[in-house]
Amino acid sequence: MISYKEYRVQNAPAAAYYIPNFITQEEEEYLMQQIYAAPKPKWKELAHRRLQNWGGLPHPKGMVAEPIPSWLQEQMEKITALRAFGDKTPNHVLVNEYLPGQGIMPHVDGPMFYPTISTINVGSHSVLDLYTPLPSNEGMEQSQSLSRRHIGSLLLEARSLLILQEDMYTHYLHGISQVTQDTLSQDMFNFEQCSSMLGDVLTRGKRISLTIRHVPKVLKAKLVFGRGR
């Protein structure tokens, strides 16, 4: 088994790890089939994307665990084998669908999760932009400062795995710009690990991200069917 630490993105702050071709094309096609075979109520529609939660709904008071299908368990086991979560086992998967031109505002994942993000990219590429946090005396409404706080990006190619830990999890914000094309530049910390060349213009298609995490606080709920006694 490979060590994910061999794939450290050297130019990025601590710590980002990028593994190209983590899954095969056949695995990618299978995952897409299973995601779109999910019941319609499984999808949650948001303003700029839609998503599926598997394993339960994370909550500050605890997550009520739900079964995770085998097609996701296979990928979770592969990431567990990397020991990216230390002695913890992933127990939650967030599936996000992004159409061309869709994205997500800069954010941090926060304390509900073990401080590691692992994301498998399916379908199209995307670009993850990284930012320093706002000074405490500034309001989030001052979006004009966003470009000044941009420190660089990571190119996420189809079938790749990205792992974020340490300051990349707790300090820096990450987001996806609402654009339809990306130009590979030296601002992308991992360009040397990617198959594209500097200056290439990449057109986004439909992208699915599988964000696999560990939720430490899990509630044990007893389901009661019927009236009981």
Side-chain angles (χ1 to χ4, degrees):
M1 174 58 66
I2 62 173
S3 169
Y4 76 96
K5 293 193 175 181
E6 297 174 11
Y7 294 85
R8 172 81 177 263
V9 181
Q10 298 297 331
N11 296 327
Y17 305 90
Y18 180 75
I19 305 179
N21 296 309
F22 180 72
I23 60 172
T24 65
Q25 188 170 350
E26 290 73 22
E27 288 177 300
E28 179 183 45
E29 292 171 356
Y30 177 67
L31 286 169
M32 292 281 276
Q33 291 171 0
Q34 296 300 315
I35 288 165
Y36 287 107
K40 190 174 181 180
K42 194 66 183 176
W43 287 101
K44 180 179 179 181
E45 301 281 347
L46 301 181
H48 300 290
R49 69 188 193 283
R50 61 176 184 160
L51 57 84
Q52 300 175 6
N53 270 288
W54 294 96
L57 290 175
H59 190 277
K61 293 183 179 179
M63 180 178 75
V64 177
E66 298 175 356
I68 297 179
S70 60
W71 54 272
L72 283 174
Q73 288 282 2
E74 293 173 8
Q75 300 304 325
M76 295 168 77
E77 289 170 4
K78 287 172 63 177
I79 291 175
T80 299
L82 295 177
R83 295 191 61 79
F85 294 88
D87 59 354
K88 306 294 183 185
T89 301
N91 58 1
H92 182 263
V93 183
L94 180 65
V95 175
N96 276 299
E97 178 198 64
Y98 294 93
L99 302 179
Q102 292 184 333
I104 185 170
M105 289 294 292
H107 64 284
V108 293
D109 281 25
M112 282 195 299
F113 303 98
Y114 180 86
T116 291
I117 307 170
S118 62
T119 302
I120 298 174
N121 301 280
V122 176
S124 174
H125 84 281
S126 190
V127 171
L128 191 72
D129 294 310
L130 303 164
Y131 304 87
T132 56
L134 275 169
S136 57
N137 60 347
E138 291 191 50
M140 286 303 292
E141 70 275 9
Q142 297 185 17
S143 58
Q144 68 272 16
S145 67
L146 202 59
S147 61
R148 297 199 303 269
R149 295 187 290 115
H150 183 258
I151 64 164
S153 305
L154 294 162
L155 176 63
L156 309 181
E157 297 171 296
R159 298 182 292 282
S160 66
L161 172 70
L162 176 70
I163 297 173
L164 299 180
Q165 296 178 331
E166 301 175 46
D167 285 350
M168 277 293 213
Y169 184 93
T170 59
H171 180 72
Y172 294 98
L173 281 66
H174 55 271
I176 298 172
S177 299
Q178 297 181 31
V179 299
T180 58
Q181 289 186 326
D182 302 285
T183 301
L184 188 62
S185 70
Q186 290 184 330
D187 287 341
M188 295 178 181
F189 293 124
N190 63 328
F191 74 88
E192 293 181 346
Q193 295 165 263
C194 298
S195 58
S196 299
M197 303 291 290
L198 286 176
D200 284 354
V201 178
L202 308 178
T203 299
R204 293 187 189 182
K206 182 190 294 183
R207 170 183 175 253
I208 300 289
S209 65
L210 285 73
T211 300
I212 299 172
R213 294 176 288 200
H214 174 78
V215 179
K217 192 171 183 180
V218 176
L219 303 176
K220 295 182 179 180
K222 295 181 179 179
L223 298 179
V224 180
F225 298 93
R227 293 181 179 270
R229 292 190 179 183

